[in-house]
Amino acid sequence: SFIALLIFLIIYRLSATYSIEKFRRNWTVATVITIVFFVVSTFFYYMYYQKYTFNYPPESKGTRYMQGTKMKPQAATYMDTAKIISIPKLVDDYGGVNNRNEIWEEDSIHEAGTILLIFYILMIECFMTSIFILAEPSIKE
């Protein structure tokens, strides 16, 4: 949100010389753009959240755990051979969430976390920027 505040202050300073009509039009365009970015980043965050996390234990809505971006070959082979169709069941067969590194490389698990973190930060920054931009015209009056 610090970045959003900086963007807000820069735009505020640059807009001090605009007429009210031009000012409102520019703020409206900026608001629409940040809201579109917010919606898109929220969609991607949710998509990657569903892709890179799983519920454990199986058949529950318990805690969500991070999985990796790429499965180890032996785990993929086991999943195909045993006809396992869910990640929680595969994790259970490997001895639980403490043995996730037997299914995915440690770097792969960190990569998934980084992807989620990037989209989360983008989502929050776009949300905060749109709030600042929406509040700006009322401050100006």
Side-chain angles (χ1 to χ4, degrees), residues 44-122:
F44 277 102
Y45 175 76
Y46 181 75
M47 180 183 71
Y48 285 122
Y49 180 77
Q50 293 298 320
K51 182 176 181 178
Y52 293 133
T53 64
F54 61 93
N55 287 323
Y56 192 83
E59 312 302 329
S60 77
K61 297 288 183 193
T63 306
R64 291 193 73 89
Y65 292 92
M66 189 71 60
Q67 67 185 53
T69 56
K70 187 173 183 218
M71 196 175 285
K72 287 184 176 181
Q74 75 273 10
T77 303
Y78 176 75
M79 192 168 183
D80 290 340
T81 326
K83 297 186 179 11
I84 296 173
I85 58 170
S86 75
I87 295 297
K89 175 69 173 119
L90 176 67
V91 171
D92 203 36
D93 286 0
Y94 269 79
V97 292
N98 292 332
N99 295 328
R100 286 180 292 169
N101 59 346
E102 298 295 322
I103 302 169
W104 299 280
E105 295 287 341
E106 198 68 34
D107 290 343
S108 176
I109 296 171
H110 291 300
E111 182 181 344
T114 301
I115 290 169
L116 284 176
L117 180 64
I118 288 169
F119 279 103
Y120 181 77
I121 290 171
L122 182 63

